[in-house]
Amino acid sequence: MKHVSGATLKRSIALSSLVLCAAVLPAQRASLTVDTSASIAPVSPMLYGLMTEEINYSYDGGLYAEMVRNRSFQHRGKNFASWLPASRGNGSVEIEGGTDGPSTALPTSMKLTIKAAAGEQAGVANTGYWGMGVKPSTTYTGSLYARPDGARNAHILLIADTSGEAVATADVALEGTAWKQYTFTMKSSAKTVASSTFHLEILFDQPGTVGLQLVSLMGPTYKDRANGNRADLMGMMADMKPHFLRLPGGNYLEGDTIKERFNWKETIGPLVDRPTHRSPWNYTSSDGMGLLEFLEWTEDLKIEPVLAVYAGYSLKGEHVTGAELKPFIQEALDEIEYVTGDITTKWGAERAKNGHPAPFPLHYVEIGNEDFFDKAKTYEDRFDDFAKAIRAKYPKLQLITTMPITRGNPDVQDDHYYRSPEEMFAMAHMYDKTDRKGPKIFVGEWATRTGSPTPDFGAALGDAAWMTGMERNSDIIIMSCYAPLFVNVNPGGMQWPSDLIGYDAARAYGSPSYYAQALFANHLGDHTVKTDATGLNSRFFWSATVSTADKVLHLKLVNGSSETQQLTLNIPTASARKATTSTLHAASRWETNTIERPEAVKTVVSSADWKASLPYSVPGNTIQVIDIPLK
Ligand code: AHR
């Protein structure tokens, strides 16, 4: 039997009242019969994955462990948002744009003119992404580029907003008059477990000028990766048992204009060589999360990338065809080589230079994103040109089209659905009749959208109904991923309501939809089996898959109505051993989780004896996954 695994699924509270009902059968009782000896179709081992892009402060102010906001005064200009003057005593500071910087990519800086008498200090403070999260006894790793007008000390402090107390400090001795990078670490003596009410100060105690650029402070990272990701959010993703990461978008791939596309070559190498870029979600990305960091994210979760390459169309309508498309096709070929090439190739060698000699696995490449928005209707031509060039060099890659097309012979088609719970209920059977001769399906973005910033329980019900349909049709639906994945829940953090996981600088929580997905992905067989149902309400959905090796039926039941569904469950091959039931239930479809009430809705696990036929009841507003051992 498969074990319920992951921190999110560990709660074990008896739910006997939800499970077995010893009531006498009414004459017209509804029933569900599962014949596990009748295999219907294979289930794709890649069915559940993750989709990502820079939206809702997903990386900057989210997954990426950087705590300093606007660390390089993005975008190549005099933009000091989130930076404020700071002082001790009567010290003061003038902040202006510096006309030089440490690199071609970052050619400007922040110039401080310090006035400080003996015993005084002045400099700047950074307020982070709606505050900084600081934990007790934790080491923070920092760095900055500075160009002083002579030797001087920088005093770096993490300060508690509420008390003004410094909870971590470091002193850095600056030298010379040229740009140079300095590094430091600071250990926190904060007493609270986690809060986002801290800020950073960089102070100087002698008068004069200092240029600053790329000021960074990283919190602890998952698997201690340098320039890595927040451990709590990575852990939550690991608990979802994903198999792939679709990257880097979404609209983020395309940009509003060609210039603002995800230009991967400008996102690799030392941070000081990354110019940053404006994203279509209306803020500038630090590009600390560049192509290699995306790939390392997949490596850390032991999943594979599904790489979307820019395909010559941007959101405001700019598009490129014919000979002008060639540089973009080359850009995609180079990108694939960067991901998969060994170190004897040009871009494989570049990846090794960036710190990762081993190539990454890659089986799927998506050409563009949502190209049905291209009013000039150039996608068929663009797809064809990309596909020919990619197949000539990489014949084994599976190519994904972003819309139905008649040329180019795509292997897979990416379908996107953002819908209400009612629509998801209505769509749960839409793939049952899909022609099996066409391309395979990748549901590359989908979500039931009620609730903000994260979906409510009604949305989780819509999601669960939809997932039963994807599992039943997983012979054709080979991959799927919910979108968007992340949202910073602070006011101004969200561009797209209804996102799977919410957080601030210190805390994170899963929406009911998050728990539903984790449940479905953690309990999935390798093939579907025959089911017959009668008399169930019109908002009742189910999926029956069997894990051959474990000899377990994973029966998923979704009651999207508010009324209890009584039924008889007939499973002739069920053994008499105990079954494990994981239940997600809410009293109302409006119930939800928030940053303050993170576990109002969560998975509850129980176990019960099972037999070949039994009366059963599923309360209204309930999602259940039952792992039933087979004879
Ligand atoms: O997931 C949010 C956006 O929805 C994606 O960026 C885009 O592909 C879709 O329109």
Side-chain angles (χ1 to χ4, degrees):
M1 181 194 288
K2 219 172 211 181
H3 290 285
V4 177
S5 65
T8 57
L9 306 179
K10 275 183 188 151
R11 299 102 197 162
S12 181
I13 299 173
L15 264 191
S16 50
S17 62
L18 290 178
V19 184
L20 292 174
C21 166
V24 178
L25 294 184
Q28 297 299 316
R29 194 179 182 95
S31 71
L32 177 63
T33 300
V34 185
D35 180 358
T36 63
S37 65
S39 169
I40 300 290
V43 170
S44 166
M46 296 270 289
L47 183 58
Y48 292 110
L50 302 168
M51 188 267 171
T52 180
E53 68 176 315
E54 181 60 285
I55 182 175
N56 305 320
Y57 293 86
S58 286
Y59 315 142
D60 291 345
L63 180 63
Y64 183 45
E66 178 61 83
M67 295 160 69
V68 176
R69 186 167 184 174
N70 196 16
R71 69 183 180 186
S72 47
F73 324 122
Q74 304 139 3
H75 173 104
R76 299 186 194 206
K78 192 176 136 189
N79 164 9
F80 301 132
S82 304
W83 291 95
L84 296 167
S87 60
R88 293 282 179 277
N90 285 326
S92 68
V93 64
E94 226 174 77
I95 302 174
E96 58 188 320
T99 52
D100 61 343
S103 65
T104 316
L106 299 178
T108 61
S109 53
M110 175 161 69
K111 184 178 166 196
L112 308 182
T113 304
I114 314 287
K115 288 187 186 136
E120 296 176 346
Q121 297 183 348
V124 280
N126 188 276
T127 50
Y129 293 93
W130 297 275
M132 292 181 178
V134 175
K135 293 179 183 157
S137 304
T138 302
T139 300
Y140 293 84
T141 309
S143 63
L144 54 84
Y145 283 81
R147 192 175 75 79
D149 58 356
R152 63 177 58 246
N153 285 327
H155 307 290
I156 303 171
L157 310 99
L158 264 173
I159 309 261
D161 298 344
T162 43
S163 63
E165 185 197 343
V167 295
T169 59
D171 282 350
V172 175
L174 308 185
E175 58 188 21
T177 56
W179 282 105
K180 185 178 163 188
Q181 188 183 28
Y182 300 86
T183 58
F184 57 92
T185 57
M186 329 160 80
K187 186 152 184 199
S188 133
S189 61
K191 292 190 183 58
T192 50
V193 172
S195 87
S196 50
T197 51
F198 295 82
H199 69 273
L200 180 72
E201 292 189 9
I202 303 169
L203 301 174
F204 302 92
D205 52 16
Q206 292 161 44
T209 62
V210 184
L212 289 178
Q213 185 46 285
L214 198 52
V215 181
S216 170
L217 187 68
M218 300 290 287
T221 59
Y222 191 68
K223 298 195 174 172
D224 293 327
R225 258 205 204 274
N227 201 43
N229 296 335
R230 262 172 70 163
D232 56 347
L233 296 174
M234 288 295 279
M236 288 182 75
M237 287 187 277
D239 286 348
M240 289 173 69
K241 209 174 173 201
H243 293 278
F244 65 87
L245 175 68
R246 175 177 177 235
L247 65 91
N251 292 355
Y252 187 58
L253 170 73
E254 307 162 85
D256 274 345
T257 60
I258 295 175
K259 193 164 171 291
E260 291 180 355
R261 73 190 182 284
F262 182 78
N263 186 355
W264 70 271
K265 288 181 187 172
E266 294 199 341
T267 72
I268 57 171
L271 298 179
V272 73
D273 294 330
R274 303 184 193 184
T276 78
H277 80 287
R278 184 190 165 277
S279 91
W281 298 105
N282 288 320
Y283 57 95
T284 298
S285 168
S286 74
D287 287 330
M289 179 75 82
L291 179 59
L292 183 58
E293 286 77 17
F294 281 120
L295 296 169
E296 289 175 338
W297 170 0
T298 65
E299 185 170 76
D300 285 348
L301 291 183
K302 300 189 176 61
I303 61 180
E304 64 175 77
V306 170
L307 180 70
V309 296
Y310 178 76
Y313 167 75
S314 291
L315 290 159
K316 287 193 172 161
E318 277 184 285
H319 56 274
V320 184
T321 53
E324 287 178 14
L325 197 58
K326 285 198 174 132
F328 296 99
I329 295 175
Q330 191 56 49
E331 193 173 287
L333 292 172
D334 293 348
E335 188 172 9
I336 295 168
E337 187 172 286
Y338 186 87
V339 177
T340 63
D342 66 39
I343 55 172
T344 62
T345 63
K346 177 179 172 196
W347 288 103
E350 190 69 21
R351 187 195 59 240
K353 200 171 111 196
N354 297 159
H356 202 288
F360 293 89
L362 184 70
H363 296 96
Y364 294 93
V365 170
E366 179 157 13
I367 298 174
N369 177 60
E370 294 194 339
D371 289 85
F372 44 83
F373 281 119
D374 174 6
K375 290 201 185 86
K377 306 215 177 309
T378 61
Y379 186 61
E380 297 229 0
D381 288 340
R382 289 187 287 111
F383 182 92
D384 210 23
D385 290 351
F386 270 82
K388 280 186 184 126
I390 295 174
R391 286 193 176 118
K393 193 161 177 204
Y394 301 100
K396 288 191 180 150
L397 283 177
Q398 299 280 296
L399 301 185
I400 306 173
T401 173
T402 71
M403 58 181 276
I405 49 177
T406 52
R407 290 190 292 123
N409 202 19
D411 302 292
V412 183
Q413 176 179 306
D414 182 359
D415 291 347
H416 294 179
Y417 304 103
Y418 293 105
R419 299 287 196 275
S420 69
E422 303 307 326
E423 287 169 325
M424 282 306 212
F425 293 156
M427 286 166 53
H429 288 277
M430 68 173 275
Y431 282 107
D432 293 359
K433 300 262 175 315
T434 298
D435 175 11
R436 264 52 185 168
K437 294 194 198 88
K440 298 285 188 195
I441 302 293
F442 171 31
V443 188
E445 292 180 29
W446 67 271
T448 311
R449 297 188 68 195
T450 49
S452 174
T454 49
D456 58 23
F457 193 73
L461 287 168
D463 291 345
W466 172 247
M467 286 189 283
T468 63
M470 291 204 293
E471 292 190 358
R472 195 170 47 251
N473 289 286
S474 184
D475 58 321
I476 182 168
I477 301 177
I478 55 167
M479 298 184 289
S480 74
C481 42
Y482 186 102
L485 181 60
F486 288 136
V487 63
N488 187 312
V489 298
N490 280 290
M494 180 185 76
Q495 289 83 50
W496 180 282
S498 73
D499 306 289
L500 202 63
I501 295 172
Y503 47 80
D504 63 13
R507 301 166 294 174
Y509 71 97
S511 62
S513 294
Y514 166 82
Y515 286 104
Q517 271 205 58
L519 259 184
F520 272 59
N522 273 280
H523 304 265
L524 183 64
D526 49 75
H527 64 279
T528 58
V529 293
K530 188 168 181 291
T531 60
D532 283 305
T534 163
L536 296 166
N537 81 63
S538 63
R539 289 182 178 169
F540 195 90
F541 305 88
W542 65 93
S543 149
T545 66
V546 166
S547 293
T548 311
D550 299 337
K551 286 187 84 175
V552 170
L553 165 67
H554 306 287
L555 183 62
K556 290 160 181 162
L557 305 176
V558 181
N559 187 359
S561 89
S562 54
E563 303 299 318
T564 297
Q565 175 67 63
Q566 310 277 359
L567 72 160
T568 302
L569 271 178
N570 300 312
I571 307 168
T573 49
S575 87
R577 281 183 290 142
K578 283 203 186 310
T580 305
T581 304
S582 306
T583 301
L584 256 185
H585 168 79
S588 136
R589 287 171 62 171
W590 310 101
E591 177 61 303
T592 197
N593 294 338
T594 65
I595 197 99
E596 303 299 343
R597 293 171 66 234
E599 295 192 336
V601 179
K602 64 179 183 183
T603 305
V604 176
V605 181
S606 62
S607 68
D609 293 329
W610 209 263
K611 57 183 182 177
S613 179
L614 48 78
Y616 198 80
S617 70
V618 185
N621 298 328
T622 297
I623 300 163
Q624 275 191 343
V625 177
I626 316 168
D627 287 343
I628 302 168
L630 300 174
K631 285 180 197 152

